Amino acid sequence: MAAAAGGMAELENAVICAFMPVQPTTDTDEQKKLRAQAVAYLDSVKSRPDAWATALQLFLSSARFEVKFWCLQVCMHAVVLHMSCPAPFSCPPSSLRRPCVARGACCLACV
C-alpha cells in the first residue's frame, strides 16, 4: 500500500537528508544524528514488502534526482528479491506481498 501524501513528503525529506554530503569537519552531532535517523527510516521503508509501490509513487511525484535514484534502488531491490525465488514466474501475485523470512525468497511456495 502506498503512503499518504504526508508520508510521501516525509519520505522525500528523509531521502534528501540521507543523501546530503557528509562534511566531517563542519557537521554537528545533531546533523550526524539526523542523517543516521533518515538512513534508518529509509532502510525500514525499503524492507517492507510493498516498498516498491511506495517508491514508484514517489518516483513519479518527485523532481529531485537523489529521490528518483533512491526509488530506483528500492525497485531494483524488489526485482532482485523476486528473482531469487527458485520459480519466480510461478509465484502468485498475492505472494509478492509476503516474503519468505526463512529463505528471503518471494513466495510461500519457496519454504
Side-chain angles (χ1 to χ4, degrees), residues 10-100:
E10 180 181 81
L11 185 56
E12 184 172 32
N13 287 336
V15 173
I16 292 165
C17 180
F19 276 77
M20 283 191 300
V22 175
Q23 304 295 328
T25 57
T26 59
D27 278 358
T28 64
D29 287 340
E30 185 177 322
Q31 289 170 314
K32 292 174 186 174
K33 183 179 177 183
L34 187 60
R35 187 177 293 112
Q37 288 174 341
V39 169
Y41 173 67
L42 294 176
D43 287 344
S44 73
V45 170
K46 186 178 179 180
S47 69
R48 294 192 312 229
D50 67 340
W52 66 271
T54 302
L56 180 60
Q57 184 179 1
L58 183 59
F59 180 88
L60 295 172
S61 67
S62 180
R64 306 281 307 237
F65 291 115
E66 62 268 46
V67 174
K68 290 183 179 289
F69 177 74
W70 181 83
C71 292
L72 291 174
Q73 287 180 316
V74 171
C75 291
M76 183 182 76
H77 175 75
V79 169
V80 168
L81 181 65
H82 179 65
M83 294 309 290
S84 69
C85 174
F89 299 106
S90 65
C91 297
S94 63
S95 68
L96 295 177
R97 293 189 298 271
R98 292 184 236 127
C100 171

